[in-house]
Amino acid sequence: MRSKFKWIFTLLLAFSMQFSFAQQKTVTGVITEGGLPLPGVSVLVKGTSRGTQTDVDGRYSISANQGEVLVFSSIGMKTKSVSVGASSTVSLALEPDAEDLGEVVVEGYKKTTRAKSNNAVVTVSAGKIEGRPNANFIQTLQGQVAGLNITTGSGQPGSNSTVILRGAGSINGNIEPLYIIDGVPLNVDNFRTINPNDIESVSVLKDAGATSIYGNRGANGVIVVTTKKGSFDSALEIKYQSTYGLTELQKNKYNTMGSADLLRTERAYGVGRGFGKTDDQINALANVNTNWKDVFFRTGVSQNHVLNLTSGSKNLSSFTSIAYLGQEGILNTTDLNRFNFRNNLNGRSDNKKFTYSTNVTVNYSRRNEATNVGTGGVNQNYVLGANNSLPYISPNEYVNSAQLLDLYNTSGSLALTPLFLLDKLSNDNFIARTEELKLILSGTLGYELAEGLNLGTRIGVDYTQNNSLTSQSPTSFNSLLFQVDNEFLGFQSEGFTRDVQITAVTSLKYSKTFNEKHTLDLGAYTEYNKGHYKSFNYRQDGLDPITYSPGNGSGFVGFNPQTPEFYVPTVGASKIESGMFSYFGTADYDYDSTYGIGATIRRDGSFRFTGDNQWATFWSVSGRWNINNESFMENSVFDMLKLRGSYGTTGNQLIVGQNGFNGVSLPYNLSNFGNSYNNANAYAFVQIGNPNLKWETVKQANIGLDFEVFQSRLSGSVDVYEKKTEDLYQGVPLSAVTGFTEINDNFGSLRNRGIELSVRYDVVRNATDGFKFSVYGNGSYNKNELVKLPSENGLVWDGGLTANREGDVLNQYYLVKYAGVNPANGNLLFYDKNGALTENPNDSDRVFTGKSALPVYQGAFGFDTSYKGFFIATQFTFVADIDRYDYDLSGLQDPSNLGQFNVSTDLLRAWTPTNRVTDIPSLNATNLALDSFSDRNLKDASYIRLRSLTVGYDFPQRFLDQTFIKHLRIFSQAENYVTWSKWRGWDAESTRAADQYQYPTPKILSFGLEVQF
């Protein structure tokens, strides 16, 4: 009986297994959108880890059981779910989702859709950011937003950029936007430790309708960064991306001389190694022809590895990212190494009334930096050595520090500059290193009190810690040069800073739709910000070469009465706190998705100011008209036509630079204890405080038009704005009887007016073979004008290259006008203030040139195309009507540098009695020094640049069906590879009004792989 039962049970089990296997089958189909194949659609068997993606033809294939549910999802499309029935084919069409990321507009404390936004907001998606070979994600935004000017003035890996939105809005205060990452405001624009591949979207808030909600921090616009998150009810998805890159020095057009030309020019001028030499001797010396650019610069190697893990259950989703970046700078010894970890969690209760989330990112970086760039330090600045060193000197002439000291003591010549710098590069003779730990933490809680009524709170922390080390070996040339009586020399300094910003926001939001046409959204908020800054530093002069090791104190020389006093370490420390409290509200009304109005009011209280000026109110109103929703627009070519406008005020409490801790003592009188008459102890005033100081206030008006026509084939937007800054922080003249000639006060105003245009056109998008081709462009015009200044004649000048005058652009070049070369004697010719020619101008002959380092026009253009998995994307950026002063060119055209430094071949066409018509003065001109305050070296820095070129291939899904790989992409990118400009230096792009021996930005070529499991 038992054996019979076993037999029957086995038979039933076999039939059961046969029935089960019979239910599992291969389901295939085609996913379309608007009748066209839709590639890249995620196809997932709900509740399992089985998934795939559609190929370039929209086709997919997946194993599933009858009764299981297939979930079809794609960015920008509504998600659809279909149960597997008896058929083995499931084909469907996805519809665009206005609520998806492509249409959602993040406006800081709230979200809306593009159609219902009243404001000037531009969103840049992850696809435009990730994979780019930039250590700083801000650099990837260049050219992607009309009116957003981003300049990078250094090739140091991870260096900061200067970001200006709609023109400079302050003379002495902060001019950069406020940055928000996952709801946490950042104190400064330090993004070298942030992983760009973690970013889901970046929203740039331009007008007062969008920025007034940030009150005293929104004067210069707001950039809101949202990082990636997981999805509920999703299987584990693993994505790995790797890039390998090469960075190279861009070429300049200074045309420095080779050894033969230089030696002959020295012979003619009577200096240097060429002096008194015959042609044969010069030819022999010219056998050494060193290109010092190849010595101090290099081809840098970079690598970037990112691993993402995304998953989600019914009520919990997670996104985790781990990344490493290693990037060598093109200047020897410079680099950046960065490690990143991020985890974003989102959760909810079963009834979805309670929600919570945490965002945690831990970032560590270490960078070795070039020091003294931008200076004339012949024994410190590698860039000077690369550009100006004598080619007939060989690197082999350097042996060691002691030998170099003997050479210098014998010759006393700066011709040894490249050897000074080789010594600095050698044997850890000099180290400049900074380690940074940055944490951005946030947590949110939300509860739906009733239908449409939600209570929420968010706490965020921005923690930044820097440890810096600068050390110079006691046996280096730079140490031995200043040695007296066998003193211990060299130095080591270390610095520690800790910056903690804590933000707490509580919100109550209400949203209700009445009669299906009237929608009301209300919000009430409180916000508390607290900042803590701590620093400590020391410097030890005098290191024992026997025990010295960089970074520790083993070489410190102890002080005793018989040793020099400079062996005593110098120390310093500081501690600052900041605080702000705000309460604010928003109201938005929409009628039938056709008309909308909004209002914001915010009250801020800041620690920075005193008395009645401690509090200020900022506000805005905005509105829109969705014209395409009107009945008279039926059957028109417009798919979307929206007119919008806003007006409001914002503030700038950072009246002294960008750092939130700068200038905290300005309202108070300050004094120092020191020596007075007859060496007596005394207190002396060092600052007259001004308790009436307050925020700078920006009033901005904006009118915009958004449009889409021809089935959204052509889309774009136009904005016109006026932005006026009042109560500018600057020095106001003061009677000298106080011991000071000016006091810091709020006085004057400046204005920015401009227009912005963005447009995109899908030239080919409905081709049956999947070919797509789109072109795009954006551009902006901005006129900057000083309206009121604190001087009787409306002129403020500090003796430098630039000055300010009412009615003109900020920081306009104020110089003597250069006329050319006097054909009679080879001297420089200038125009005096009356327009007459002169060889001897003075400061009274300076005139306003109408030129500035602030660009008037800027923008970008390019195209995107794809065909059967292959894709190409380009971006060209341009800047026009911008000028900068070229000190590098000035030095290379200065004949007084002959014998010590290299010069440009321009000097080969210098004036002589037989070459009287030329643009280069005589090598023996008597007034060469006077061009230092003329516009002779003021040069056009306009440019067009191939900012980015991407070429790649997405492998079709049919190639991956039999593997564990869901998606595979290979690509190559070129950044900054070609530049067209009249600027002769390495890089036309700069944050400075004048350039001298600066670290140039590189061009980058990278190769990458992206694989998804």
Side-chain angles (χ1 to χ4, degrees):
M1 185 69 182
R2 172 175 285 185
S3 61
K4 183 182 290 188
F5 176 79
K6 285 183 177 180
W7 183 86
I8 295 174
F9 179 79
T10 302
L11 184 62
L12 288 173
L13 181 61
F15 275 115
S16 175
M17 292 179 65
Q18 183 179 8
F19 178 78
S20 175
F21 281 117
Q23 299 303 302
Q24 192 175 63
K25 56 187 176 181
T26 299
V27 180
T28 61
V30 179
I31 309 303
T32 61
E33 186 263 323
L36 298 174
L38 189 61
V41 177
S42 173
V43 184
L44 178 70
V45 180
K46 189 174 182 179
T48 74
S49 60
R50 302 197 303 277
T52 186
Q53 283 188 331
T54 59
D55 61 17
V56 292
D57 298 318
R59 300 182 182 278
Y60 74 93
S61 174
I62 192 170
S63 296
N65 297 323
Q66 187 170 335
E68 288 186 317
V69 177
L70 299 183
V71 180
F72 301 87
S73 61
S74 179
I75 292 177
M77 298 292 161
K78 292 182 179 178
T79 298
K80 283 191 176 182
S81 299
V82 177
S83 294
V84 177
S87 174
S88 297
T89 302
V90 176
S91 298
L92 52 84
L94 294 184
E95 300 174 352
D97 185 3
E99 298 295 329
D100 203 74
L101 180 63
E103 293 294 328
V104 168
V105 176
V106 179
E107 296 183 349
Y109 297 91
K110 60 181 181 179
K111 294 181 180 180
T112 185
T113 64
R114 185 182 177 215
K116 291 186 177 181
S117 174
N118 304 341
N119 304 314
V121 179
V122 176
T123 299
V124 181
S125 65
K128 299 291 185 179
I129 298 173
E130 61 185 11
R132 295 276 294 272
N134 304 111
N136 187 335
F137 90 87
I138 285 293
Q139 295 169 10
T140 66
L141 299 181
Q142 286 179 313
Q144 301 207 46
V145 180
L148 186 66
N149 179 33
I150 300 175
T151 53
T152 303
S154 173
Q156 170 69 44
S159 61
N160 286 348
S161 300
T162 297
V163 181
I164 302 176
L165 180 62
R166 292 187 166 182
S170 181
I171 295 178
N172 297 302
N174 175 43
I175 59 174
E176 296 205 32
L178 170 68
Y179 299 93
I180 308 288
I181 296 184
D182 290 331
V184 181
L186 304 189
N187 187 24
V188 294
D189 66 338
N190 171 15
F191 300 110
R192 70 176 62 91
T193 52
I194 304 300
N195 178 17
N197 292 280
D198 288 347
I199 295 174
E200 183 67 35
S201 68
V202 177
S203 294
V204 180
L205 283 54
K206 299 181 179 182
D207 65 342
T211 62
S212 64
I213 196 170
Y214 290 97
N216 76 87
R217 298 174 298 172
N220 301 300
V222 182
I223 294 180
V224 181
V225 178
T226 303
T227 59
K228 295 175 181 177
K229 297 176 176 60
S231 300
F232 296 113
D233 292 317
S234 61
L236 175 64
E237 185 176 275
I238 301 174
K239 180 179 178 181
Y240 171 72
Q241 187 179 85
S242 176
T243 58
Y244 175 87
L246 302 173
T247 56
E248 295 180 333
L249 178 69
Q250 299 185 66
K251 294 181 179 180
N252 65 42
K253 294 175 282 189
Y254 290 136
N255 303 321
T256 51
M257 290 188 183
S259 294
D261 283 337
L262 182 59
L263 288 164
R264 291 188 180 95
T265 305
E266 288 180 346
R267 180 174 63 183
Y269 195 65
V271 296
R273 291 189 184 180
F275 177 54
K277 297 295 191 297
T278 65
D279 285 344
D280 289 341
Q281 290 173 319
I282 285 178
N283 291 335
L285 290 172
N287 286 328
V288 175
N289 192 25
T290 306
N291 185 344
W292 288 103
K293 299 179 186 67
D294 293 338
V295 175
F296 294 109
F297 287 100
R298 65 183 174 185
T299 296
V301 177
S302 64
Q303 57 177 315
N304 189 28
H305 305 277
V306 182
L307 180 66
N308 295 340
L309 297 92
T310 308
S311 63
S313 61
K314 177 183 177 182
N315 294 319
L316 183 67
S317 67
S318 171
F319 170 81
T320 301
S321 171
I322 303 170
Y324 166 73
L325 169 74
Q327 189 175 81
E328 292 180 344
I330 57 173
L331 200 58
N332 272 307
T333 74
T334 61
D335 60 31
L336 172 69
N337 286 275
R338 182 180 71 199
F339 301 88
N340 305 95
F341 171 80
R342 172 177 291 279
N343 179 255
N344 293 345
L345 287 176
N346 290 273
R348 63 190 181 190
S349 60
D350 284 336
N351 61 8
K352 301 182 182 180
K353 288 182 175 290
F354 175 68
T355 60
Y356 62 92
S357 68
T358 60
N359 297 274
V360 177
T361 178
V362 181
N363 311 280
Y364 168 81
S365 69
R366 186 180 70 180
R367 63 188 188 275
N368 288 292
E369 302 173 303
T371 60
N372 297 98
V373 292
T375 73
V378 295
N379 58 339
Q380 300 288 346
N381 188 353
Y382 301 131
V383 183
L384 183 156
N387 201 43
N388 294 63
S389 291
L390 298 171
Y392 53 69
I393 290 182
S394 169
N396 295 329
E397 294 184 38
Y398 172 78
V399 178
N400 55 47
S401 302
Q403 172 262 355
L404 177 58
L405 180 64
D406 291 338
L407 282 177
Y408 180 69
N409 287 336
T410 301
S411 68
S413 173
L414 298 184
L416 299 175
T417 288
L419 307 186
F420 301 158
L421 296 168
L422 281 178
D423 182 83
K424 185 181 177 182
L425 279 174
S426 303
N427 304 318
D428 284 337
N429 277 344
F430 187 85
I431 293 174
R433 179 181 301 142
T434 299
E435 297 180 6
E436 179 176 279
L437 175 65
K438 189 171 185 69
L439 289 76
I440 302 177
L441 316 173
S442 66
T444 62
L445 299 174
Y447 189 77
E448 185 180 15
L449 301 173
E451 184 178 356
L453 182 63
N454 291 274
L455 177 67
T457 185
R458 180 180 67 242
I459 297 178
V461 177
D462 173 21
Y463 178 94
T464 307
Q465 177 179 306
N466 280 286
N467 295 77
S468 62
L469 167 68
T470 306
S471 181
Q472 180 175 289
S473 168
T475 59
S476 68
F477 168 79
N478 285 333
S479 293
L480 297 176
L481 182 62
F482 300 100
Q483 189 174 41
V484 178
D485 297 330
N486 295 319
E487 292 171 336
F488 291 109
L489 290 173
F491 70 86
Q492 179 170 298
S493 65
E494 290 192 77
F496 166 85
T497 63
R498 183 180 63 216
D499 181 348
V500 184
Q501 303 287 325
I502 303 172
T503 304
V505 178
T506 301
S507 63
L508 183 64
K509 299 179 182 180
Y510 177 72
S511 180
K512 181 71 173 179
T513 299
F514 304 91
N515 300 326
E516 297 183 353
K517 290 188 176 182
H518 304 271
T519 300
L520 181 65
D521 292 286
L522 302 174
Y525 307 80
T526 63
E527 182 172 358
Y528 174 72
N529 299 90
K530 186 68 175 179
H532 301 270
Y533 178 84
K534 174 67 177 175
S535 71
F536 173 80
N537 63 82
Y538 78 86
R539 175 179 169 121
Q540 168 68 43
D541 287 296
L543 303 172
D544 189 334
I546 297 176
T547 57
Y548 163 72
S549 178
N552 63 39
S554 60
F556 290 6
V557 177
F559 171 75
N560 63 62
Q562 284 73 44
T563 60
E565 289 187 3
F566 67 76
Y567 291 166
V568 179
T570 56
V571 297
S574 65
K575 180 181 180 181
I576 309 174
E577 294 185 354
S578 65
M580 187 179 71
F581 181 76
S582 310
Y583 51 93
F584 49 102
T586 62
D588 292 277
Y589 168 75
D590 170 74
Y591 174 73
D592 200 21
S593 299
T594 303
Y595 308 99
I597 58 173
T600 299
I601 187 167
R602 176 165 177 144
R603 182 78 169 160
D604 282 336
S606 173
F607 82 108
R608 186 177 298 277
F609 308 109
T610 60
D612 294 338
N613 292 330
Q614 198 164 30
W615 287 86
T617 302
F618 307 97
W619 57 272
S620 72
V621 291
S622 61
R624 61 175 167 81
W625 179 22
N626 297 79
I627 306 172
N628 59 287
N629 289 334
E630 297 284 3
S631 59
F632 61 79
M633 292 294 290
E634 290 184 8
N635 301 319
S636 74
V637 298
F638 286 94
D639 303 290
M640 193 266 281
L641 182 63
K642 181 180 68 174
L643 180 67
R644 50 183 166 75
S646 66
Y647 181 82
T649 64
T650 49
N652 184 13
Q653 72 159 339
L654 303 181
I655 56 178
V656 185
Q658 188 184 27
N659 192 297
F661 297 106
N662 289 347
V664 297
S665 62
L666 290 173
Y668 310 103
N669 294 326
L670 299 180
S671 59
N672 273 350
F673 181 78
N675 295 330
S676 182
Y677 178 73
N678 207 20
N679 230 17
N681 293 334
Y683 285 96
F685 275 115
V686 295
Q687 175 180 290
I688 295 182
N690 184 352
N692 298 317
L693 284 176
K694 56 184 178 182
W695 358 60
E696 297 177 337
T697 300
V698 174
K699 299 177 180 179
Q700 183 174 188
N702 188 95
I703 297 176
L705 182 71
D706 301 325
F707 62 89
E708 294 181 7
V709 296
F710 311 129
Q711 297 182 331
S712 299
R713 183 185 292 271
L714 175 64
S715 61
S717 63
V718 182
D719 282 273
V720 179
Y721 63 87
E722 177 176 290
K723 185 173 69 170
K724 186 177 182 181
T725 307
E726 298 179 343
D727 299 322
L728 289 168
Y729 171 77
Q730 53 189 317
V732 175
L734 186 68
S735 172
V737 298
T738 61
F740 298 86
T741 57
E742 65 178 27
I743 186 172
N744 298 314
D745 204 352
N746 295 98
F747 185 94
S749 58
L750 67 80
R751 179 168 51 220
N752 288 279
R753 290 173 172 166
I755 183 170
E756 300 165 346
L757 171 66
S758 298
V759 65
R760 183 178 185 89
Y761 180 60
D762 296 333
V763 181
V764 180
R765 69 175 183 183
N766 294 325
T768 56
D769 59 1
F771 177 65
K772 297 180 181 180
F773 185 81
S774 300
V775 295
Y776 67 91
N778 68 70
S780 65
Y781 163 82
N782 184 80
K783 181 182 179 181
N784 178 278
E785 179 185 0
L786 291 160
V787 179
K788 185 66 175 176
L789 292 173
S791 64
E792 293 182 0
N793 60 359
L795 170 66
V796 176
W797 177 53
D798 62 3
L801 296 176
T802 63
N804 289 324
R805 182 175 65 174
E806 291 178 1
D808 283 339
V809 64
L810 174 68
N811 294 331
Q812 183 178 177
Y813 291 104
Y814 184 54
L815 303 166
V816 172
K817 192 172 182 180
Y818 175 63
V821 176
N822 189 338
N825 58 15
N827 281 343
L828 297 171
L829 279 176
F830 308 90
Y831 293 104
D832 66 16
K833 59 185 177 183
N834 298 316
L837 290 173
T838 179
E839 289 187 0
N840 298 291
N842 53 49
D843 281 339
S844 67
D845 295 313
R846 290 177 182 255
V847 295
F848 283 93
T849 61
K851 299 177 179 180
S852 165
L854 297 174
V856 177
Y857 303 93
Q858 63 178 17
F861 59 91
F863 69 84
D864 301 318
T865 185
S866 61
Y867 178 69
K868 293 186 179 299
F870 293 95
F871 60 90
I872 301 174
T874 67
Q875 184 193 65
F876 295 83
T877 58
F878 66 88
V879 170
D881 203 351
I882 179 174
D883 295 85
R884 293 193 289 117
Y885 203 88
D886 194 345
Y887 278 119
D888 287 345
L889 179 61
S890 175
L892 289 168
Q893 289 184 346
D894 185 354
S896 67
N897 284 329
L898 283 166
Q900 299 185 95
F901 300 103
N902 202 353
V903 293
S904 171
T905 56
D906 296 351
L907 294 190
L908 297 177
R909 61 176 187 269
W911 182 96
T912 65
T914 59
N915 180 38
R916 294 180 178 273
V917 181
T918 181
D919 62 328
I920 301 297
S922 168
L923 300 184
N924 297 301
T926 60
N927 63 346
L928 290 173
L930 296 178
D931 77 345
S932 62
F933 58 95
S934 81
D935 65 355
R936 180 188 177 204
N937 293 300
L938 182 62
K939 302 298 180 180
D940 184 357
S942 304
Y943 66 86
I944 298 176
R945 166 172 287 171
L946 177 57
R947 176 70 63 184
S948 175
L949 169 64
T950 303
V951 179
Y953 181 67
D954 287 316
F955 285 82
Q957 191 63 41
R958 64 179 181 274
F959 290 176
L960 309 175
D961 282 342
Q962 303 305 316
T963 72
F964 58 90
I965 298 175
K966 292 182 179 180
H967 175 69
L968 179 62
R969 165 182 286 191
I970 56 174
F971 58 92
S972 177
Q973 292 184 323
E975 299 252 341
N976 301 335
Y977 235 71
V978 184
T979 302
W980 296 269
S981 178
K982 294 179 181 179
W983 183 260
R984 295 181 63 179
W986 276 303
D987 193 2
E989 179 185 318
S990 175
T991 59
R992 296 166 293 274
D995 263 2
Q996 181 181 31
Y997 312 130
Q998 295 287 349
Y999 193 153
T1001 56
K1003 57 182 182 180
I1004 307 171
L1005 179 64
S1006 63
F1007 305 90
L1009 167 72
E1010 182 180 301
V1011 58
Q1012 189 172 319
F1013 309 101

